[in-house]
Amino acid sequence: MDNTEQQFLKELDDKLWKAADKLRANLDAANYKHVVLGLIFLKYVSDAFEERQEALIELFGQESDDNIYYMPRDDFDSDADYQQAIQDELEQLDYYREANVFWVPKAARWSTLKEKAVLPINSMLWQDAAGNDVKLRSVSWLIDNALEEIEKSNAKLKGILNRISQYQLDNDKLIGLINTFSDTSFTKPVFGGKKLNLHSKDILGHVYEYFLGQFALAEGKQGGQYYTPKSIVTLIVEMLEPYSGRVYDPAMGSGGFFVSSDKFIEEHAKEHHYDASEQRKRISVYGQESNPTTWKLAAMNMAIRGIDFNFGKKNADTFLDDQHPDLRADFVMANPPFNIKDWWSESLADDVRWKYGTPPKGNANFAWVQHMVHHLAPTGSMGILLANGSMSSNTNNEGEIRKRLIEEDLVECMVALPGQLFTNTQIPACIWFLSKDKANGMVRSEKKRDRRNEFLFIDARNLGFMRDRVLRDFTNEDIAKVADIFHAWQRGDNYEDIAGFCKSANLDDIKKHDYVLTPGRYVGAVEQEDDGEPFAEKMARLTAQLSEQFAESERLEAEIKRNLGGLGYEL
């Protein structure tokens, strides 16, 4: 995006967040996010529906041999009949489904919400199923009814739209939010007198993502359950390059990895002059999430962006109720909760997923790793965020599992991350990258070389900047630096070790370190600039200087004692 578009989005974020944040006095962040994100979703589906209607009206009036939508004016007795026929035709559901646009019934359209919400509540009239006029009970009922109508008409959305009446919000506050969204240009936006090249899907997708991040900050530890910092997600996606195939996240939260994958596909398509919509058809998205409200957030997140998805039949525990047992994915990416203690069930004792050893009952880290490896295709690659302890722990079989993963040549790259990246934990973290085909024998990407028994270590602890007093973040340059080193190493494109940052090691190197995978053990220290002074001479000079300083210290100490003695004090 250019600077104008970025400025437009920033001002939009600020405006909408200030409006939404007024609910904080009545609800905590864990609840008011459902109200706000529900309204964002309603605005999106309605805008997308209206955009499709505008396109259809244009098609109805265009005469051409290959335009199957054309409606000749001469076929109707009057202009009024013609206009009525167009309006009737616009209500045909198939026109929207064929364009992958959600059907929005009249009761759920934003224009209806806006019209009804501005009226005094005691004068709001609604037609029930029998066609009788009834008075509305509240604005929240109006919104819930819209959500219900959309679910009824779109099987993909059944059960994922959270109702808001349960939060008992004042009508005035909800009307204020509806008015704020109504006053905002999501379709054909203009900023600073310039028409922007942004579609409603792009804008509302951005707003949805921004709000998820803000809610995660507001919720603190709880927010981390559904939100992984954007820069970390982007780093993993940039390193794995998932531009085609099956993408899977077994601990998906609100679906951040899928959103970043979609953005990556779009950029990849631009770079190679592909049609982005055609490129997206080459990706299949699979996810799983145990928390029911987070599962709904993820589904809404995908729907706003038009990403087709399979999140299983329900929210469910990944270990105990795998929703994709037969899936073998080309890319697996996840940020599972660190060091889970209460994950074990005796039904998992002889699970087929524990190919490299049974994980300890008191820590799920290596259960997540093995679950993901189990779901990899023969040419698949994966990236997983884990606590730093996973790189060195030898307790309760963890060391043996790590050793087997290394010896069977699944581990490809380890990245150590700086602290303070997460809203919900200060536990130091790392990224494991594993691959089923380091030989590149089943050629998915001809650019990669044979990397068997080679391992890349990257120490990124010194990268990033402090976004505020408590949170660190990566710049785009930081992400590019790490991803470019990884790709250069994979492809043999002039890769070189950089002291203190990256090191290409072999199996013997790892054995010498007792199968510990902490990058700091391999990359060494940053090389100091050579000042031209021989080491022996420098050491002699510095030693003499230190002796002089010790002597001066003794002289000053004696003088202080004398002065204190003169004042009647003794040390």
Side-chain angles (χ1 to χ4, degrees), residues 435-485:
S435 176
K436 278 274 190 85
D437 182 27
K438 286 170 69 176
N440 203 35
M442 303 179 184
V443 181
R444 267 180 33 81
S445 170
E446 295 179 358
K447 293 180 180 178
K448 295 179 183 177
R449 63 184 178 84
D450 187 339
R451 308 171 309 285
R452 282 175 290 184
N453 290 317
E454 293 183 36
F455 309 83
L456 180 64
F457 293 91
I458 299 176
D459 190 343
R461 289 177 297 172
N462 293 322
L463 298 183
F465 67 100
M466 294 305 295
R467 195 171 72 188
D468 52 37
R469 289 186 299 107
V470 295
L471 276 179
R472 180 176 287 273
D473 206 350
F474 284 139
T475 64
N476 291 336
E477 290 74 22
D478 293 330
I479 292 170
K481 181 177 181 180
V482 176
D484 289 349
I485 282 289

Side-chain angles (χ1 to χ4, degrees), residues 405-555:
L405 290 169
I406 293 166
E407 290 189 332
E408 298 203 21
D409 211 14
L410 288 164
V411 179
E412 180 164 30
C413 177
M414 301 296 300
V415 179
L417 297 172
Q420 297 179 272
L421 285 171
F422 299 90
T423 58
N424 62 323
T425 180
Q426 292 304 311
I427 297 173
C430 60
I431 312 174
W432 289 59
F433 289 95
L434 290 83
S435 176
K436 278 274 190 85
D437 182 27
K438 286 170 69 176
N440 203 35
M442 303 179 184
V443 181
R444 267 180 33 81
S445 170
E446 295 179 358
K447 293 180 180 178
K448 295 179 183 177
R449 63 184 178 84
D450 187 339
R451 308 171 309 285
R452 282 175 290 184
N453 290 317
E454 293 183 36
F455 309 83
L456 180 64
F457 293 91
I458 299 176
D459 190 343
R461 289 177 297 172
N462 293 322
L463 298 183
F465 67 100
M466 294 305 295
R467 195 171 72 188
D468 52 37
R469 289 186 299 107
V470 295
L471 276 179
R472 180 176 287 273
D473 206 350
F474 284 139
T475 64
N476 291 336
E477 290 74 22
D478 293 330
I479 292 170
K481 181 177 181 180
V482 176
D484 289 349
I485 282 289
F486 181 53
H487 297 150
W489 176 83
Q490 280 186 320
R491 297 163 185 167
D493 293 341
N494 301 315
Y495 168 82
E496 289 184 5
D497 292 340
I498 301 173
F501 180 63
C502 62
K503 169 72 176 178
S504 181
N506 57 38
L507 185 57
D508 289 336
D509 294 327
I510 293 177
K511 285 179 179 178
K512 288 175 187 174
H513 289 283
D514 296 322
Y515 296 94
V516 169
L517 294 177
T518 308
R521 294 201 178 195
Y522 299 89
V523 301
V526 178
E527 289 183 356
Q528 300 298 316
E529 188 175 337
D530 186 3
D531 58 7
E533 184 178 8
F535 175 77
E537 292 178 15
K538 181 184 285 189
M539 194 65 185
R541 177 175 60 79
L542 292 175
T543 302
Q545 187 178 330
L546 186 61
S547 296
E548 290 173 7
Q549 289 172 344
F550 281 154
E552 178 65 8
S553 175
E554 289 176 11
R555 185 186 69 75

Side-chain angles (χ1 to χ4, degrees), residues 140-151:
S140 59
W141 183 91
L142 179 71
I143 295 169
D144 280 357
N145 185 72
L147 294 167
E148 187 172 340
E149 289 294 320
I150 288 175
E151 279 196 357

Side-chain angles (χ1 to χ4, degrees), residues 17 21 24 27-37 167 210-227 254 291 293-294 297 422-425 471:
W17 179 251
D21 208 35
R24 193 192 290 233
L27 292 170
D28 63 30
N31 289 326
Y32 82 83
K33 71 169 175 280
H34 295 299
V35 178
V36 177
L37 295 176
Y167 304 120
Y210 172 79
F211 271 44
L212 282 174
Q214 291 299 104
F215 285 127
L217 286 171
E219 291 179 60
K221 189 171 182 179
Q222 285 298 110
Q225 294 181 0
Y226 62 81
Y227 185 78
S254 55
N291 184 291
T293 58
T294 305
L297 287 179
F422 299 90
T423 58
N424 62 323
T425 180
L471 276 179

Side-chain angles (χ1 to χ4, degrees), residues 44 48 52 55-56 69 93-102 306:
Y44 162 70
R52 178 58 176 163
L56 287 169
Y69 301 93
L93 185 146
D94 288 344
Y95 284 134
Y96 303 89
R97 288 187 175 165
E98 70 185 11
N100 198 26
V101 171
F102 289 112

Side-chain angles (χ1 to χ4, degrees), residues 378-394:
T379 58
S381 300
M382 62 177 263
I384 179 173
L385 276 157
L386 288 176
N388 274 1
S390 63
M391 298 188 289
S392 58
S393 172
N394 286 314

